[in-house]
Amino acid sequence: MRSMLAILSLAIALPAAAGDWYASVYGGVNFDNVIDVAFVESQTGAVVGGTVGRATPVPGLRIEADLSFRRNDVELFGGVINADHTTTALMANAVYDIDVDGDPVKPYLLLGVGYAQTEATFENVSLLKLEASDIAYQAGAGLQTTVWPGARLGVGYRFFQGPKVEVLGTELSDGTNHSVIGSLSFDL
C-alpha cells in the first residue's frame, strides 16, 4: 500500500504539461485460476475498470491509478453448489509505451502494485461467504492506436495476482487471473 501511495504521490508532484493527463475505461474477459480438481469448474468471467494517469518527464513512461472489478462464476459438483467469485482492486501502474517510428500502433508494457479484496459467495449454501484482502500485483502488455486526436483504442493482456481464497482449509483459488481487454483512452 505504501508503494502505491509513493508512486501516485510522485506522479502528482512531477511537473505537468498540457495533455499529460488521461483517463481510460477497459473491459474484457477474465479467466480465474481455481483448484484443478474434477468437481470444480470456473466459468469465463468479466473484468471492467478505469484508470487516471499522466505522462512523466521520462520519454514513454506513464504512471496511473487503476480501479478494477473481476467476476467469475465457479461451479462445484456439477452446479450443485455455485460460487460468485469477485475481486476489486486499486492499483498503481507504471506503463511504458514503446515508440515505433512511423507506426500508428504503439505497443506498451505494464507493471502494477496495489491492494485487492476478493469474495466468494456460495449461492446454494446459506450464510457462506469467504473474503480475503491483501497486496496485489499485475503485469501486462498491449497495443494502442490513435483513432482521433486525444483518443486511443487498445487491446491488451493482464496477469493479475490477488488474494487467495480458501474454504475449509482448501485453496479454492490461488488468486491469479488472466484477462484479455479492450480499452478506450482520452486525454484530459
Side-chain angles (χ1 to χ4, degrees), residues 30-34 137 159-163 173-178:
N30 190 65
F31 305 95
D32 182 18
N33 192 25
V34 297
Y137 61 89
F159 168 83
F160 177 83
Q161 176 66 59
S173 170
D174 66 4
T176 60
N177 291 261
H178 302 273

Side-chain angles (χ1 to χ4, degrees), residues 11-163:
I12 292 169
L14 294 171
D20 282 352
W21 288 92
Y22 65 91
S24 67
V25 292
Y26 62 88
V29 295
N30 190 65
F31 305 95
D32 182 18
N33 192 25
V34 297
I35 58 173
D36 189 19
V37 294
F39 61 88
V40 178
E41 183 180 333
S42 179
Q43 306 295 315
T44 302
V47 58
V48 294
T51 66
V52 174
R54 68 181 296 180
T56 70
V58 177
L61 184 63
R62 298 180 280 132
I63 303 292
E64 64 185 23
D66 178 352
L67 179 63
S68 65
F69 177 78
R70 291 168 171 79
R71 182 179 185 278
N72 289 77
D73 291 327
V74 179
E75 292 183 351
L76 291 90
F77 306 107
V80 173
I81 299 175
N82 296 310
D84 182 22
H85 187 200
T86 62
T87 301
T88 304
L90 178 60
M91 309 292 286
N93 298 329
V95 184
Y96 183 72
D97 295 313
I98 301 168
D99 189 20
V100 182
D101 289 335
D103 196 338
V105 177
K106 285 194 174 190
Y108 68 86
L109 300 172
L110 175 143
L111 290 174
V113 64
Y115 187 77
Q117 179 176 1
T118 296
E119 296 179 354
T121 305
F122 292 83
E123 299 166 1
N124 306 34
V125 181
S126 63
L127 303 176
L128 183 54
K129 181 176 182 177
L130 306 171
E131 295 180 343
S133 300
D134 205 350
I135 298 297
Y137 61 89
Q138 65 182 349
L143 302 169
Q144 278 194 333
T145 188
T146 300
V147 290
W148 62 84
R152 292 165 303 286
L153 283 176
V155 295
Y157 163 80
R158 299 256 175 110
F159 168 83
F160 177 83
Q161 176 66 59

Side-chain angles (χ1 to χ4, degrees), residues 112 179 181 187:
S179 302
I181 61 169
D187 291 340

